[in-house]
Amino acid sequence: MAKRRIIDAHSHIVPDVNALPNFERVCRKLGIEKICFMGCEWPGVTDLSNENVRKAMKRNPELVVGFGGINLWEEVDPNRVDRLREEGFSGVKLIVPPLPYHAEEFYPYYERCQELKMPICFHLGIIARRRDFNCRIDCNLMRPVYLDTIARDFPDLYIWGAHLGNPWYEEATMSCRWNPNLFFDLSGSTLKKKSPQFLGELLWWTPETFYRSPDGTSAWQKILFGSDVASEAIPDVYNDYENLIAALGLSEEIAHFIFYENAARALRWAGVDLSLIHI
């Protein structure tokens, strides 16, 4: 397996920080230079909390990039973003909101993330059923079109959307076409259940097409590599991405954007030192 430069833009340190050596081995095998571990905070959550990410960041700061979760059910306090930055987190993860993501009640968080140069990763679309959701789950509040509004109102903020908005794929792709600061990963079931042709029809624009993006980029320059699985399953996700690239005949230049450069842009903005490589 030929090694590429890779950033895994969406992962979780599961089941806990003791799994870190397993992630390290997989990252060395595949050539993953940075892995973004997401903390998730909602009423009742324990295993995906920020604490596990903090421990992983401390144990391997060259590999791990931390995104700290903020519980959107608590009273809005933008100082939470400051505290995450002070603790060494490079970005923020949001999931399970009580209101749509583009509700202006949440804007103090987005404004502070923009000021502190902290990308935000939003969970989008359908979410797994868990017994520790001690709050109402409304997947309609996590639609990708809400990120379009946020991206327009905060043009300097890097925004990552998870799962290409599954099942609202068209909302996701058209939103990222129009917003240079909005990106999506393909983690989850999409690469298993949707054909390359399906995704190629959604991500169709190039710098040469009559209908194109305002910044003149290819659709695939808005797609991130993200695994969102336990360590042992990451190679399978990697293979799914490679198979997609081969099936659509995407160039090596575009493959580099997908696996590395699209995420690297946001991490450089956040001040992450990409010269430190643990492989």
Side-chain angles (χ1 to χ4, degrees):
M1 182 183 298
K3 284 188 177 182
R4 300 182 179 276
R5 297 196 73 182
I6 302 172
I7 295 172
D8 188 340
H10 183 173
S11 188
H12 299 279
I13 183 68
V14 292
D16 55 42
V17 73
N18 294 318
L20 184 58
N22 297 328
F23 280 94
E24 291 170 338
R25 283 192 290 272
V26 170
C27 289
R28 283 193 294 269
K29 178 181 177 182
L30 295 179
I32 295 173
E33 298 179 12
K34 301 290 182 184
I35 187 165
C36 299
F37 284 138
M38 305 286 166
C40 294
E41 298 282 332
W42 66 73
V45 70
T46 55
D47 58 320
L48 299 177
S49 67
N50 290 340
E51 184 58 29
N52 282 327
V53 180
R54 289 189 191 96
K55 292 176 181 177
M57 290 162 51
K58 184 176 180 180
R59 293 190 189 183
N60 195 335
E62 292 186 1
L63 175 65
V64 176
V65 178
F67 278 56
I70 291 177
N71 187 343
L72 294 177
W73 292 79
E74 296 177 349
E75 182 178 356
V76 173
D77 178 7
N79 290 324
R80 290 195 178 99
V81 180
D82 295 72
R83 290 194 289 272
L84 289 173
R85 185 53 121 173
E86 291 166 1
E87 292 169 359
F89 288 93
S90 299
V92 167
K93 167 74 174 193
L94 298 179
I95 190 171
V96 191
L99 300 168
Y101 281 136
H102 69 343
E104 293 191 13
E105 286 88 336
F106 300 140
Y107 271 33
Y109 288 135
Y110 308 153
E111 182 177 11
R112 200 68 188 116
C113 284
Q114 183 172 255
E115 292 171 351
L116 294 178
K117 296 186 175 182
M118 297 181 74
I120 304 177
C121 178
F122 290 83
H123 172 84
L124 296 177
I126 298 299
I127 194 167
R129 293 178 68 112
R130 291 174 54 120
R131 293 183 178 181
D132 60 0
F133 279 125
N134 292 338
C135 56
R136 183 172 185 264
I137 303 301
D138 184 347
C139 294
N140 193 57
L141 302 178
M142 299 180 279
R143 293 183 68 147
V145 73
Y146 301 141
L147 303 192
D148 174 80
T149 305
I150 299 167
R152 292 171 190 262
D153 287 346
F154 298 91
D156 296 326
L157 174 64
Y158 275 93
I159 299 169
W160 294 355
H163 317 305
L164 199 62
N166 182 6
W168 294 292
Y169 297 111
E170 290 185 340
E171 288 186 9
T173 52
M174 284 300 95
S175 294
C176 73
R177 175 185 161 211
W178 285 107
N179 292 288
N181 54 329
L182 178 56
F183 300 78
F184 292 91
D185 70 52
L186 302 178
S187 62
S189 60
T190 296
L191 289 178
K192 292 296 185 188
K193 298 302 180 182
K194 296 296 183 180
S195 70
Q197 291 72 26
F198 172 84
L199 292 170
E201 290 175 1
L202 287 169
L203 294 157
W204 50 265
W205 64 94
T206 73
E208 291 74 38
T209 52
F210 179 78
Y211 295 104
R212 51 187 178 267
S213 63
D215 58 354
T217 55
S218 160
W220 293 96
Q221 287 175 267
K222 308 308 295 296
I223 298 300
L224 308 164
F225 173 73
S227 63
D228 192 28
V229 290
S231 59
E232 62 270 17
I234 293 177
D236 184 59
V237 177
Y238 172 84
N239 288 334
D240 287 340
Y241 270 82
E242 287 284 16
N243 291 338
L244 173 69
I245 289 167
L248 294 177
L250 302 181
S251 69
E252 283 299 311
E253 179 184 15
I254 291 298
H256 176 68
F257 276 102
I258 294 169
F259 280 112
Y260 184 84
E261 187 58 32
N262 294 337
R265 287 172 58 187
L267 297 186
R268 291 191 195 101
W269 176 75
V272 176
D273 187 351
L274 298 181
S275 68
L276 297 175
I277 301 172
H278 180 80
I279 54 175

